[in-house]
Amino acid sequence: MIPLRRIRNIGISAHIDSGKTTLSERILFYTGKINKIEEVRGGGDGPKMDYMDLEEEKGITITSATTTCLWKDHQINLIDTPGHVDFTIEVERALRVLDGGIMVLCAVSGVQSQSFTVDRQMKRYRVPRIAFINKMDRVGANPTNVIHALKDKLNLNPLPLQYPIGVEDRFEGMIDLIEMKAYYFEGKNGEIWRQKPIPQNLQEQAGIEREKLLDRVSLFSDEIMAQMLAEKPVPERLLWEVIRQATLELTIVPVLMGSAYKNKGVQNLLDAVNRYLPSPLDREVVTATNINTEQEVKIEANPGASFLGLAFKLTDDEFGQLTYVRIYAGRLEKGDKLLNTRTQKTLRASRLIRLHADERQEIAFAEAGDIIALMGIDCASGDTLCSLDANLSLEGIFLPEPVITLAITPKSQEDAAGMSKALNRFAKEDPTLRVSSDREANEILISGMGELHLEIYLERMKREYNAEVYVGKPAVAYRETITQAASFDFTLKKQTGGPGQYAHVTGRIEPSEEVFVFENRVVGGAIPKPFISACEKGFQDAIATGVLQGYPIVNVKVTLEGGSAHPIDSSDRAFRFAAKQGFEQAFQKAKPIMLEPIMSVEVETPTEFVGRIQGNLLSRRGMLLGSEVVSDYTAIRAEVPLVEMFGYSTDLRSQSQGMATFSMEISGYQLMPKSEIARSLA
């Protein structure tokens, strides 16, 4: 059993097409996990971590894949995550359970739109990271620009630990500024890793870069400062220790570089993972909540404690449900009984699995700090699993709201059965895929993070369940809100011969920065305490269904100020209904408006197509935020309403002779123009 201090739970995250999966493939090769390198678009069987047929066909990562490998007496539990924003939940739940991360950046493009998303996710879960500047062999590679972008755009404190030996087609290797040695990569797959003296023509520049590094690191260590003032050499081990501590405290981001595709720099990156990223013992102490007492409990990575784990991902296949679990404390053995604290049901861990992408290896036990999978247990993504003697709950996973909806209807009765099975499975696996029904139109509605997100699930439904469906036009997930405060005073009074219904509520609604806030200001028992929660549920019913066009209501605070009750005719049901009606009454008086989702769009195009692409974005009600010329192409940034972005990929291809690419993610909601409200109703 490998000691906890030598375990690394890490993820690889980046903007799409930065080389994450290519890097993962090299990591598996150099750690001996695979004996042949496959390329993302190179034919053959495809990369090990992209094991779905759709991933191989489209050349993108759709689902995160987990594996375990060894490097220099350290165990690395690795998760390769998608780069496309439509599958951001895969990154979100991976970072929720990981201890450290590798943020991959293209040496040409630098910080791109999805880099901002990954940065926010890493900051949300306080994940220490290493930045790896990939594609140093590409035309236009400029690591200095990327390092400046990390500082200026992401507000990070990047610390370059290497200096490149050449760039673009002259890229040969890199100089380690701590060891002051040059590293080269020879052999068919870069497996011959050579350490040599620094080339004569780079010695002066390497010395300058090392002095910069020492100056930066000395700010975190009095000992290094003293060594420098005394003009004594600073030991390598001391530098490693200080950089590691600063990385764990999130005050610096070590920066390395290389070319995964050209098999250069990956071994140095693996050394850096062992050297600078945290073990389960180094991460901030996890906090759980005791369900019985509602008190917070500090959880340390102790194998001798009661078991505690988080189910962070589910997949389902012909063998049953596979539940990915991060173990935070204790030891789990085959056959142990567990408590699902959400459902309060007892489960049995009959099979423990070590994962290697789509391959499975049964194991007898696992301990704190490990990431494994359990077969056949009934739970949902985000559930806490613990020993029967510990009724604890861990914080769940942040879930972004869907932005696009499709209406689907099965083509036949057989398709209906397959569609139902598929949607039940997919919704359980992916909490950002929402399924509902429109009874009036007799349609099923599926909502997700983007066109590609839903397209992938429709394709999987067809392939895996032989279910074909008719697909309606995509609909946007609009929102409703208010612009001023308004009061309500609603009385429900019905008498039908027997027991009647009575409920009287008064209060006010007002704009809020939070999605929904409820405040109870009822005094003197005007509304009996048991009915207060029924009122809150009634307000939540109202914001869920909306008033103007039936879209969810956001950014509203509801204050319940008073009312009255009848000793016989009042009930939970009556107050819930009265609260909903009172809210809708006030909503109409509060100058309600419609909000539409706005997308942050980044287009990368050869410079000669910039004018027509900018013109097209403006015609889509876009607001241009700026552009940046990088080598022989231009990156255009804009904000565009989501409804205007449907079918954009086809238009962009025709405007740029198929040479431009784009990515987008939701940046927020804005007031919807009256003309667009009328168009949405048409």
Side-chain angles (χ1 to χ4, degrees):
M1 194 73 183
I2 292 178
L4 269 176
R5 62 183 175 83
R6 294 210 301 267
I7 291 178
R8 301 289 182 269
N9 293 313
I10 67 167
I12 300 180
S13 305
H15 181 87
I16 191 169
D17 205 29
S18 293
K20 296 178 307 302
T21 302
T22 302
L23 176 60
S24 298
E25 188 79 354
R26 270 61 180 179
I27 287 175
L28 297 182
F29 179 75
Y30 296 130
T31 57
K33 197 73 180 181
I34 58 176
N35 54 27
K36 181 186 176 185
I37 293 174
E38 297 282 0
E39 304 300 347
V40 174
R41 295 181 177 90
D45 297 328
K48 183 64 185 176
M49 301 295 266
D50 279 0
Y51 56 85
M52 291 175 63
D53 290 342
L54 277 170
E55 290 179 314
E56 188 177 340
E57 287 174 22
K58 293 183 177 291
I60 61 171
T61 301
I62 293 170
T63 183
S64 57
T66 304
T67 192
T68 299
C69 53
L70 298 173
W71 179 257
K72 293 187 176 178
D73 76 3
H74 283 65
Q75 175 180 313
I76 298 175
N77 297 323
L78 173 69
I79 299 182
D80 175 33
T81 63
H84 200 288
V85 68
D86 283 22
F87 310 107
T88 191
I89 184 60
E90 295 287 339
V91 187
E92 194 76 44
R93 54 188 173 192
L95 291 176
R96 168 65 181 83
V97 300
L98 292 171
D99 299 322
I102 299 172
M103 185 177 188
V104 183
L105 301 126
C106 173
V108 182
S109 304
V111 172
Q112 299 169 273
S113 58
Q114 190 66 3
S115 308
F116 287 94
T117 306
V118 170
D119 175 63
R120 284 197 302 272
Q121 291 168 322
M122 287 184 166
K123 286 173 178 172
R124 179 182 295 131
Y125 299 114
R126 295 184 60 78
V127 176
R129 74 185 91 169
I130 291 170
F132 181 69
I133 301 175
N134 193 24
K135 302 189 177 184
M136 286 291 295
D137 60 302
R138 288 266 306 273
V139 174
N142 190 326
T144 303
N145 284 351
V146 181
I147 291 165
H148 287 318
L150 285 169
K151 182 179 180 181
D152 299 337
K153 294 183 178 181
L154 301 183
N155 296 316
L156 297 173
N157 187 13
L159 181 71
L161 304 184
Q162 298 172 336
Y163 186 78
I165 303 173
V167 291
E168 300 180 340
D169 59 349
R170 300 186 307 279
F171 178 64
E172 298 179 41
M174 66 283 301
I175 297 166
D176 187 302
L177 298 175
I178 296 176
E179 298 174 320
M180 289 305 280
K181 297 285 186 182
Y183 281 91
Y184 296 89
F185 307 85
E186 301 169 3
K188 181 183 176 184
N189 296 306
E191 67 275 14
I192 303 172
W193 185 31
R194 296 201 187 281
Q195 187 187 82
K196 297 181 181 180
I198 297 172
Q200 190 72 31
N201 65 321
L202 292 177
Q203 286 184 2
E204 182 181 351
Q205 188 61 42
I208 293 171
E209 297 300 326
R210 177 178 167 83
E211 286 303 313
K212 291 180 184 177
L213 182 144
L214 290 175
D215 285 341
R216 298 271 305 281
V217 177
S218 67
L219 298 175
F220 305 100
S221 169
D222 292 339
E223 189 177 351
I224 291 178
M225 181 74 77
Q227 296 271 21
M228 291 176 64
L229 291 173
E231 297 186 352
K232 293 181 179 178
V234 181
E236 293 173 5
R237 188 155 297 281
L238 177 59
L239 283 169
W240 290 333
E241 288 173 2
V242 172
I243 293 171
R244 173 181 173 78
Q245 192 56 42
T247 303
L248 300 186
E249 292 171 357
L250 307 177
T251 52
I252 67 165
V253 175
V255 179
L256 289 89
M257 54 194 71
S259 169
Y261 183 68
K262 295 292 185 179
N263 310 307
K264 291 178 170 64
V266 180
Q267 296 95 322
N268 299 73
L269 178 63
L270 285 166
D271 273 358
V273 167
N274 290 353
R275 199 169 279 154
Y276 306 121
L277 291 184
S279 74
L281 296 172
D282 298 315
R283 283 287 273 139
E284 295 174 352
V285 175
V286 174
T287 301
T289 302
N290 187 305
I291 299 292
N292 300 323
T293 65
E294 296 187 355
Q295 292 182 330
E296 290 191 346
V297 181
K298 299 293 185 185
I299 305 297
E300 296 184 359
N302 178 9
S306 295
F307 176 82
L308 182 68
L310 182 73
F312 66 94
K313 178 179 174 176
L314 311 178
T315 60
D316 209 341
D317 57 24
E318 66 270 22
F319 303 110
Q321 180 173 303
L322 189 68
T323 304
Y324 293 61
V325 178
R326 163 68 195 261
I327 303 176
Y328 286 99
R331 176 185 171 101
L332 182 64
E333 296 186 2
K334 190 175 178 179
D336 283 354
K337 289 186 177 180
L338 300 172
L339 175 68
N340 181 332
T341 56
R342 179 182 62 86
T343 63
Q344 291 295 302
K345 290 183 178 179
T346 301
L347 311 169
R348 185 170 178 271
S350 56
R351 295 175 65 191
L352 278 62
I353 307 292
R354 177 83 64 200
L355 291 165
H356 177 42
D358 58 337
E359 295 177 8
R360 304 172 184 182
Q361 173 194 351
E362 286 211 34
I363 55 177
F365 68 93
E367 292 185 342
D370 218 339
I371 294 177
I372 60 161
L374 302 177
M375 277 294 296
I377 66 168
D378 183 23
C379 70
S381 182
D383 283 356
T384 301
L385 307 175
C386 63
S387 301
L388 299 182
D389 61 345
N391 198 4
L392 300 175
S393 177
L394 290 160
E395 181 185 352
I397 300 165
F398 173 80
L399 297 178
E401 286 295 314
V403 296
I404 183 173
T405 299
L406 289 178
I408 59 174
T409 51
K411 291 186 175 181
S412 69
Q413 199 63 38
E414 288 182 359
D415 291 326
M419 181 187 77
S420 178
K421 288 180 183 178
L423 291 178
N424 285 336
R425 171 190 162 190
F426 296 156
K428 196 172 184 182
E429 288 182 5
D430 183 353
T432 61
L433 179 72
R434 312 284 173 85
V435 181
S436 57
S437 60
D438 183 342
R439 293 180 182 176
E440 290 184 12
N442 196 28
E443 295 173 328
I444 298 295
L445 304 177
I446 57 173
S447 303
M449 303 307 298
E451 286 183 281
L452 180 62
H453 186 212
L454 299 182
E455 177 190 319
I456 291 295
Y457 278 116
L458 291 174
E459 184 64 30
R460 287 184 62 189
M461 188 188 299
K462 183 178 178 181
R463 292 187 184 202
E464 297 171 27
Y465 290 88
N466 294 318
E468 296 199 32
V469 296
Y470 296 108
V471 181
K473 289 183 178 180
V476 175
Y478 296 110
R479 295 290 184 266
E480 301 176 12
T481 192
I482 56 175
T483 56
Q484 66 179 38
S487 299
F488 58 85
D489 185 340
F490 184 84
T491 302
L492 171 67
K493 192 173 183 179
K494 286 187 178 180
Q495 198 68 40
T496 55
Q501 293 184 53
Y502 181 87
H504 175 214
V505 293
T506 64
R508 59 189 271 112
I509 64 174
E510 58 190 297
S512 167
E513 290 187 2
E514 297 182 50
V515 174
F516 172 70
V517 179
F518 171 70
E519 184 177 347
N520 173 27
R521 285 192 184 173
V522 177
V523 294
I527 298 178
K529 222 172 184 179
F531 297 144
I532 299 295
S533 61
C535 290
E536 183 177 2
K537 288 177 183 174
F539 297 136
Q540 290 175 334
D541 291 342
I543 68 169
T545 55
V547 176
L548 295 177
Q549 291 190 34
Y551 293 107
I553 296 169
V554 295
N555 304 121
V556 175
K557 178 182 178 181
V558 184
T559 304
L560 183 63
E561 296 175 337
S564 60
H566 188 278
I568 297 173
D569 293 346
S570 290
S571 64
D572 280 356
R573 183 179 175 185
F575 271 97
R576 184 167 179 172
F577 180 79
K580 183 175 185 292
Q581 294 300 309
F583 181 97
E584 292 178 357
Q585 178 190 82
F587 189 86
Q588 296 284 12
K589 297 184 292 183
K591 290 193 176 178
I593 57 172
M594 293 279 292
L595 301 174
E596 62 178 340
I598 303 297
M599 308 305 289
S600 175
V601 180
E602 183 171 295
V603 182
E604 294 182 359
T605 175
T607 305
E608 62 263 32
F609 305 120
V610 167
R612 68 179 70 167
I613 289 173
Q614 288 180 329
N616 183 262
L617 289 171
L618 289 170
S619 72
R620 293 171 180 267
R621 295 194 288 130
M623 181 173 69
L624 299 176
L625 302 179
S627 60
E628 183 180 358
V629 178
V630 183
S631 186
D632 58 346
Y633 73 93
T634 299
I636 303 168
R637 291 179 296 108
E639 287 187 344
V640 189
L642 172 61
V643 69
E644 305 288 352
M645 291 301 293
F646 294 143
Y648 182 64
S649 57
T650 303
D651 280 0
L652 184 63
R653 278 196 296 271
S654 65
Q655 292 161 12
S656 64
Q657 298 173 14
M659 299 169 70
T661 60
F662 83 102
S663 62
M664 66 178 184
E665 66 169 325
I666 187 165
S667 66
Y669 283 81
Q670 289 182 9
L671 174 64
M672 189 175 176
K674 289 183 179 179
S675 59
E676 295 305 315
I677 296 176
R679 192 176 79 168
S680 72
L681 287 169

